[in-house]
């Protein structure tokens, strides 16, 4: 046998011994871990089952509006000359908000002239009547003409100087200076913050889950407001193929304003004494779900009956009871009857 062949066989033997030795150690280590589990129990995090409130919410896109609001509309064709407010400003009822052309409006100028002439005539006739210089009939006629001219002047002025229809906050301005408008065009909206309503639509499949009095939630920027469903229409909207629902929200939200589009969550189901579990605490087996509880230091598999679900949380209607010690982490590795080493889910320490 050559020197090189002897050397090759020697190295190969050493390599095989090394591999065999490593494999043996791994097998020994693996066996020792399984033996450790058999002696001390397989570690698992647990929690004690307790009754708790459980709700299911359905979400819908909604229009958020002040409960009391009014929109001013143009009654003439003209050009917007001045806007005295901005969105968010508070206005009093009959406060001038928007002005059209005063000098260029023929109707306004004629009404103003007629009013001024009637006022002069009325004042003169009043003086004469006091001195018995004219008959009561002439005085009454002058007074009537003056009052008619005054009302005509005021009505024409209201067309030119558009006033706030109610007390409240300006939530929308539809025009700007120099905008040409025609009768019927929306000019601005004033909303009163004595409460808000959300309007949304639900399908025929959802209508049975929406009832008056149910809780409704809207989340804004850094705030959440709670209200109640106040109206559920029984007539389907022919165009939308859905049912109109209204919810009322009291108070004055800080970040939500009338006219916004929001997402509203309506409580469609509530169980005050429910047993619940998160999906990570359950084990999927075929078409069903199971869970493991620890009883007398051993794992016990439970077949579960599930009710409603909200996100990753399930209502457990059968298979678990209050007081059960539910395995929350490690259930996938357990088998029924296996010894369990209970570890606190909060502190990761063995429970005494």
């Amino acid at each position: 046998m050559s020197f090189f062949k002897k050397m090759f066989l020697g190295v190969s033997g050493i390599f095989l011994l090394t591999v065999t030795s490593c494999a043996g150690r791994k097998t020994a280590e693996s066996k020792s871990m399984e033996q450790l589990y058999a002696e001390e129990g397989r570690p698992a995090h647990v929690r004690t089952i307790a009754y708790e409130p459980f709700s299911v919410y359905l979400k819908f896109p909604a229009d958020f509006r002040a409960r009391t609001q009014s929109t001013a509309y143009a009654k003439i064709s003209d050009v917007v000359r001045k806007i005295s407010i901005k969105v968010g400003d508070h206005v009093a009822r009959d406060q001038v908000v928007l002005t059209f052309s005063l000098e260029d409006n023929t109707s306004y100028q004629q009404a103003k002239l007629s009013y001024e002439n009637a006022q002069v005539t009325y004042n003169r006739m009043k003086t004469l009547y006091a001195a018995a210089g004219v008959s009561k009939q002439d005085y009454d006629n002058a007074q009537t003409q003056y009052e008619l001219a005054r009302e005509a002047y005021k009505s024409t002025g209201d067309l030119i100087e558009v006033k706030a229809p109610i007390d409240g906050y300006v939530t929308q301005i539809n025009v700007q200076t120099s905008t040409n408008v025609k009768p019927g065009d929306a000019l601005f909206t004033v909303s009163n913050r004595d409460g808000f309503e959300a309007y949304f639509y639900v399908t025929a499949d959802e209508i049975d889950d929406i009832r008056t009095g149910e809780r409704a939630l809207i989340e804004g920027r850094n705030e959440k407001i709670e209200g109640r469903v106040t109206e559920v229409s029984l007539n389907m909207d022919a165009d939308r193929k859905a049912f109109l629902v209204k919810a009322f929200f009291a108070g004055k939200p800080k970040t939500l304003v009338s006219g916004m589009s929001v997402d509203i969550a309506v409580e469609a189901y509530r169980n005050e004494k429910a047993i619940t579990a998160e999906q990570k605490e359950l084990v999927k087996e075929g078409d069903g779900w199971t869970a493991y509880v620890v009883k007398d230091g051993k794992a016990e598999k439970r077949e579960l009956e599930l009710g409603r679900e909200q996100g990753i949380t399930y209502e457990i209607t059968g298979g678990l009871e209050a007081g059960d010690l539910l395995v929350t982490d490690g259930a996938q590795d357990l088998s029924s009857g296996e010894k369990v080493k209970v570890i606190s889910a909060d502190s990761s320490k063995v429970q005494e």
Side-chain angles (χ1 to χ4, degrees), residues 112-346:
K112 180 181 179 182
L113 181 60
S114 296
Y115 165 70
E116 291 173 346
N117 289 337
Q119 185 179 40
V120 170
T121 301
Y122 170 66
N123 289 334
R124 185 175 71 251
M125 295 298 287
K126 184 165 60 173
T127 301
L128 291 173
Y129 178 69
V134 294
S135 66
K136 187 166 188 313
Q137 179 70 39
D138 290 338
Y139 168 73
D140 288 343
N141 289 340
Q143 183 180 25
T144 299
Q145 292 301 315
Y146 164 69
E147 290 175 351
L148 290 173
R150 182 181 62 189
E151 289 303 314
Y153 175 51
K154 180 179 181 301
S155 297
T156 307
D158 288 342
L159 301 179
I160 305 300
E161 295 182 321
V162 185
K163 300 179 176 67
I166 59 173
D167 290 341
Y169 293 85
V170 177
T171 55
Q172 187 170 357
I173 300 176
N174 305 85
V175 296
Q176 58 186 4
T177 303
S178 76
T179 299
N180 285 284
V181 301
K182 59 184 183 300
D185 287 350
L187 301 176
F188 59 88
T189 299
V190 179
S191 301
N192 192 318
R193 293 186 177 179
D194 60 353
F196 293 83
E197 287 184 318
Y199 297 75
F200 57 99
Y201 288 86
V202 303
T203 66
D205 293 333
E206 298 164 332
I207 189 69
D208 290 338
D209 289 326
I210 308 298
R211 295 170 294 276
T212 57
E214 295 289 2
R215 297 174 68 215
L217 301 174
I218 295 178
E219 291 191 30
R221 297 189 300 273
N222 301 320
E223 73 171 327
K224 178 187 292 185
I225 61 173
E226 179 178 330
R228 297 285 174 178
V229 173
T230 56
E231 183 179 332
V232 180
S233 176
L234 299 179
N235 296 318
M236 178 181 285
D237 185 284
D239 296 327
R240 295 175 178 266
K241 305 298 182 185
F243 298 86
L244 175 65
V245 180
K246 298 179 183 179
F248 175 70
F249 299 84
K252 300 178 180 180
K254 299 176 182 178
T255 60
L256 297 171
V257 296
S258 182
M260 290 182 65
S261 294
V262 298
D263 287 328
I264 183 171
V266 179
E267 188 177 49
Y269 172 80
R270 184 171 180 83
N271 183 352
E272 291 291 348
K273 288 185 63 177
I275 291 177
T276 65
E278 293 187 6
Q279 190 174 37
K280 67 178 183 178
E281 298 172 331
L282 309 181
V283 179
K284 182 70 172 176
E285 291 192 0
D287 295 330
W289 292 91
T290 63
Y292 281 90
V293 299
V294 178
K295 190 171 183 180
D296 298 327
K298 294 183 179 181
E300 182 177 292
K301 184 166 71 172
R302 299 280 182 86
E303 303 288 338
L304 301 181
E305 295 177 12
L306 304 186
R308 303 277 191 124
E309 63 180 275
Q310 178 66 41
I312 60 172
T313 302
Y314 291 82
E315 178 189 30
I316 309 299
T317 57
L320 294 177
E321 298 178 356
D324 282 341
L325 207 58
L326 177 67
V327 176
T328 61
D329 185 20
Q332 300 288 347
D333 300 324
L334 287 174
S335 57
S336 189
E338 183 176 6
K339 190 174 182 179
V340 177
K341 181 180 182 180
V342 175
I343 298 177
S344 170
D346 295 328

Side-chain angles (χ1 to χ4, degrees), residues 45-56:
H45 295 283
V46 299
R47 69 177 176 90
T48 302
I49 293 290
Y51 291 118
E52 58 184 324
F54 174 76
S55 296
V56 175

Side-chain angles (χ1 to χ4, degrees), residues 53-67:
F54 174 76
S55 296
V56 175
Y57 285 88
L58 299 179
K59 284 192 174 182
F60 306 93
D63 293 327
F64 189 70
R65 311 176 198 168
R67 193 174 198 182

